[in-house]
Amino acid sequence: MSTPNILLIVSDDHGYADRSALGIHADVRTPALDRLAAEGVTCTDAYVTAPICSPSRAAIISGQYQQRWGGQWFDTAAFPPDDVPTLAEQLRDQGYRTGYFGKVHYGAESVGDRACPPHHGFEETLYGLAGQSYGRLNYLHHSQAAVSSYGPEPAQRMAVQPLLSGDEPVEHEGFLTAELGRRAGEFITSEDERPYFCMLAFNAVHNFCWQLPASELAARDLPAFRDWTPAVNGSFTEWYDDVIVPNLPHGREYYLAQLELMDAEIGRLLRLVGDNTIVVYLTDNGGSTCNFGDNTPLRGTKYTLWDGGIRVPMIWRWPGRLPAGRRTAALVSSLDLVPTLVRAAGGAVDGVDGIDLLPVLSGEDETGHEALHWDCEFQWAVRSGDWKLSWVGDTPQVVHLRDYEHAPMGAGWFLSNLTNDPSEQHNHLTTHPEIATSLHTRHITWRSTVGLPPLTHP
């Protein structure tokens, strides 16, 4: 078989339960993702490396734990060092044409630095630097006129700055999800004999989901909702609490509308790609229950190391090479994207923390990872087999996330058996202390391996 094309789709804050094929919620409509699962392989126990976007995305693009360069939370998140090759660079060096369309958020990136797609292996780009706007991109407005109209602080909070192509600003007034899908489609169908690698990083379904086209609001009988305006709404902090769970009227409906419209763009792209195309879908961290996402049956939300914050939807499709409709409970990670895709393209990978998933996806092997680790400094966790040990400190971050983002973190030690108790309701710390000790020791060793300092708590 010839070298495969690759379409990697990364969404933002998509809830684990929010796919219609799962049958959990009757009001969820995701026919494209359902088709992808029916024609490919669903990884039920797939994890990202952080419960927030920027450190997680650094691992996705590199195949390495972001803790190796100090990335633990928003304040330390950073793009991989110059000597760490990206997925795009490795595929480009194998003869691929490369395109990036969507949200960029690896930390405090600036125009022209290595964190920007044109400077780490992507030839064609249309993107927004979400790190300059509180981690989000506006769904409707990206222009200097919008910046002027909103005013300095609201423009940044509401993320209306122009997009970028290469290093040049690009203005776009219109629905961003549709524009990103359109641009990805143009790239995929471009007349070029080289195989393509297209990375499509939707802003959907990140807050603020009321930012929908007027036609969609009318079709769904949803009221318009205004972005933050200090003169009308007062302080951002007070206003923010009114636009998250449980206070925003129609919040779940706005979220589901954004999810359905993103799914429609994925459906259009599936109709454009050929059979010899690997399509991968995942989201960057666990679903944001604060933004009306749902992670049933998992406990927790984005920001937390409960499984609801780190276990994500992950689907792989490669007709003729991977079985259709297969589900695997192997322990897999977003770290595995780099080695799997590079090797599927005929290349070799060294120095990554991920593994080649093709044997797992094909059903030849169900081993997956022996263990996976998470470490945000004030909270950490390790999973091996059925068991997961986590620790949450008594810190200002925990209080802030509980009060501001409505994200209860837990406290202290927790040992869960995820096979018997995926909702992490029962703490086995006292009944299985030997397992907790083993996992604790394993995590201490891992911290040393990735270069983190020794733990400072018991």
Side-chain angles (χ1 to χ4, degrees):
M1 184 177 286
S2 60
T3 304
N5 297 309
I6 299 170
L7 171 59
L8 172 58
I9 303 169
V10 181
S11 66
D12 203 325
D13 297 359
H14 180 191
Y16 188 82
D18 291 329
R19 288 189 289 127
S20 47
L22 299 178
I24 297 173
H25 296 296
D27 55 354
V28 175
R29 292 180 290 274
T30 56
L33 291 178
D34 297 346
R35 174 189 169 189
L36 199 61
E39 297 175 354
V41 181
T42 298
C43 298
T44 62
D45 289 43
Y47 290 86
V48 288
T49 60
I52 55 174
C53 53
S54 42
S56 171
R57 289 167 184 259
I60 287 173
I61 202 69
S62 68
Q64 295 189 22
Y65 279 112
Q66 69 279 356
Q67 288 88 352
R68 291 187 179 277
W69 50 90
Q72 292 182 270
W73 199 246
F74 286 123
D75 55 345
T76 54
F79 195 76
D82 291 351
D83 61 352
V84 177
T86 68
L87 175 57
E89 287 169 331
Q90 295 186 69
L91 291 173
R92 178 199 62 192
D93 293 346
Q94 290 176 238
Y96 277 73
R97 58 187 179 94
T98 56
Y100 189 101
F101 309 96
K103 172 178 173 175
V104 171
H105 192 194
Y106 300 105
E109 49 270 337
S110 299
V111 177
D113 68 20
R114 180 161 161 74
C116 297
H119 299 283
H120 60 256
F122 288 99
E123 299 172 14
E124 186 174 332
T125 60
L126 178 70
Y127 62 99
L129 296 181
Q132 297 184 352
S133 51
Y134 296 90
R136 63 179 67 91
L137 301 178
N138 198 282
Y139 288 96
L140 297 173
H141 305 295
H142 289 281
S143 65
Q144 285 300 331
V147 170
S148 298
S149 175
Y150 275 67
E153 186 182 1
Q156 186 182 23
R157 293 280 189 182
M158 295 295 104
V160 298
Q161 73 275 16
L163 304 171
L164 294 157
S165 179
D167 291 334
E168 298 301 317
V170 174
E171 299 197 342
H172 178 72
E173 290 288 316
F175 190 45
L176 182 60
T177 300
E179 177 65 4
L180 296 177
R182 185 187 71 81
R183 287 296 303 273
E186 285 186 350
F187 176 79
I188 285 170
T189 57
S190 175
E191 293 185 4
D192 192 314
E193 294 182 355
R194 294 175 295 166
Y196 64 77
F197 168 48
C198 178
M199 186 166 178
L200 175 56
F202 286 111
N203 183 53
V205 285
H206 196 284
N207 67 2
F208 301 121
C209 288
W210 62 78
Q211 296 167 351
L212 289 158
S215 59
E216 290 292 339
L217 292 172
R220 299 165 191 274
D221 195 25
L222 286 171
F225 191 87
R226 184 170 182 169
D227 289 350
W228 175 58
T229 304
V232 175
N233 306 116
S235 76
F236 181 83
T237 300
E238 293 177 355
W239 172 84
Y240 184 77
D241 196 61
D242 289 333
V243 299
I244 58 177
V245 165
N247 298 322
L248 177 66
H250 305 286
R252 176 72 173 172
E253 294 167 86
Y254 291 131
Y255 166 88
L256 291 178
Q258 294 284 6
L259 177 60
E260 184 178 335
L261 293 170
M262 179 185 71
D263 184 86
E265 294 304 320
I266 295 172
R268 278 188 271 275
L269 293 175
L270 291 180
R271 292 190 288 272
L272 295 179
V273 302
D275 284 345
N276 191 27
T277 303
I278 302 171
V279 180
V280 189
Y281 174 85
L282 77 160
T283 197
D284 61 348
N285 47 245
S288 175
T289 60
C290 180
N291 185 40
F292 299 91
D294 186 87
N295 294 320
T296 300
L298 309 178
R299 181 176 182 176
T301 178
K302 176 184 179 179
Y303 306 111
T304 78
L305 291 182
W306 301 117
D307 259 29
I310 50 178
R311 199 195 298 196
V312 298
M314 180 186 281
I315 310 170
W316 297 71
R317 188 190 78 162
W318 190 5
R321 290 294 303 272
L322 297 179
R326 173 172 157 73
R327 293 169 64 87
T328 175
L331 188 57
V332 304
S333 170
S334 57
L335 293 165
D336 306 330
L337 290 165
V338 169
T340 305
L341 293 173
V342 171
R343 287 172 180 162
V349 180
D350 295 312
V352 295
D353 295 309
I355 61 175
D356 178 5
L357 286 185
L358 287 178
V360 170
L361 298 172
S362 66
E364 298 172 15
D365 186 356
E366 284 288 355
T367 303
H369 285 266
E370 183 180 355
L372 292 172
H373 298 262
W374 300 266
D375 204 303
C376 308
E377 187 176 11
F378 65 93
Q379 58 174 344
W380 61 261
V382 52
R383 176 176 176 180
S384 180
D386 298 337
W387 294 95
K388 175 181 160 194
L389 178 69
S390 60
W391 177 85
V392 180
D394 182 13
T395 69
Q397 294 102 317
V398 171
V399 174
H400 170 76
L401 291 166
R402 181 197 66 205
D403 295 345
Y404 188 70
E405 299 289 359
H406 298 196
M409 314 290 289
W413 300 92
F414 200 98
L415 178 66
S416 55
N417 184 307
L418 291 169
T419 299
N420 297 331
D421 180 26
S423 299
E424 296 181 273
Q425 298 299 307
H426 305 289
N427 191 347
H428 298 274
L429 193 67
T430 58
T431 56
H432 293 282
E434 75 287 355
I435 295 176
T437 298
S438 175
L439 291 174
H440 186 200
T441 301
R442 185 189 287 268
H443 190 68
I444 290 171
T445 301
W446 173 84
R447 282 179 63 97
S448 176
T449 300
V450 299
L452 291 177
L455 291 170
T456 58
H457 59 81

